[in-house]
Amino acid sequence: MSYPSGPHLRQPYGHHPQQPDRPPPPKSVTSAIVLTMAAVAAVLLIGGFAMFLGLSSGQAPNPSAVPTPASSPPAAALTSTGYVPFFPPRTHQGQGPALLRIDPTTGQGLITLTHAGSANFVVTTVDAAGAELDLVNATGHYEGTRLIGSDNSQIIALRIQADGAWTATTKPLLDAQVWNGPTIQGQGDQVLRLDRPIGRHTPARASHPSKGVFIVHVIGDSTELQIDADDAFSGEFLLKTGTTFVDIHADGPWTLSRN
C-alpha cells in the first residue's frame, strides 16, 4: 500500500478551516434596518390591537368607518346661552311646604305644577343670588304650566307653600303645547308654542269669560306684554313678527284665535 508523498495532517473531528473575517456592514445601513424593523413592528402591533378591540366588542373592524358627530339640539330650543334648560324632563313630588332644589339652569324652560290641597299653594323661584320671584299664587286645587327662568339668572330651587300633595315637572320649551290651528282653548296657566314662528304681525283675539287675572305675553326675539286684565276679558292682541311662544297666566278658561 502506498501513500501520497509529503506530510499529510489530519484535522481534528468537528474542526473546519477558519474563514477569512468579513468586514461589518456600515453603521448607517445597520441603523436603517433597525428603524425599518421597528416601524413594521409598531404597525403590526397597532393593527392587531385595533382588531382585538373590534372583535371583543362584537363588531368586525371597518377601516372606512367614520365617527358620527353628536346631533345638535333644534335651534329653536337654544337660548342665547346655547344651553337647553330642563332636559330631559324631571318630575319631583312632595307633601306640604318644601324647599325643592332643581338642576341649576340659565335660560328659559317650563315647569308644570299640581296641588291637591285646599289651602294656599304658593311657589316662588330662587336664583343663585337668593332672590325670589313669584311663580304661582293659588288657593286649593291647582294644575298649570309656567315659564321659568331667564337669560340673566340661574334658577337653583323652588320654595313651595302647600298643605297637600304636589308635583313639579321641569321640561324644555319645545315640550310646550302646540298651537297649530286657528283656535285653541285652555284652562288656567299655560305656555303655547306656535307651529311656526309668525312671519309678519298678525292680529289675534282672546277671550277670558271668568273673573280673575288674565295676562298674556308673546315671546320671540323679546318678551312683550299684550294683555293685562283683572276681570273678564274679550278683545284683540298682536302676534308680532317672530313670535314663537305665548305665555298665558289665567284664573279661568280662555280661548285664543288667529287668522
Side-chain angles (χ1 to χ4, degrees), residues 42-137:
V43 170
L44 293 176
L45 179 61
I46 295 172
F49 184 65
M51 182 176 295
F52 170 75
L53 290 178
L55 293 176
S56 63
S57 62
Q59 298 179 352
N62 182 7
S64 63
V66 178
T68 302
S71 58
S72 300
L78 297 178
T79 65
S80 61
T81 61
Y83 178 70
V84 184
F86 306 130
F87 183 82
R90 180 172 297 180
T91 298
H92 309 267
Q93 297 179 330
Q95 176 85 28
L99 180 62
L100 173 65
R101 294 189 178 276
I102 61 176
D103 294 334
T105 181
T106 300
Q108 292 180 317
L110 302 175
I111 183 165
T112 296
L113 296 156
T114 67
H115 178 234
S118 58
N120 289 342
F121 179 57
V122 180
V123 181
T124 59
T125 61
V126 182
D127 67 17
E132 299 191 21
L133 184 66
D134 288 344
L135 195 64
V136 173
N137 192 338

Side-chain angles (χ1 to χ4, degrees), residues 74 76-77 110 171-178 193 245:
L110 302 175
K171 48 191 175 181
L173 279 174
L174 284 187
D175 281 3
Q177 181 180 349
V178 179
R193 176 169 64 89
F245 298 93

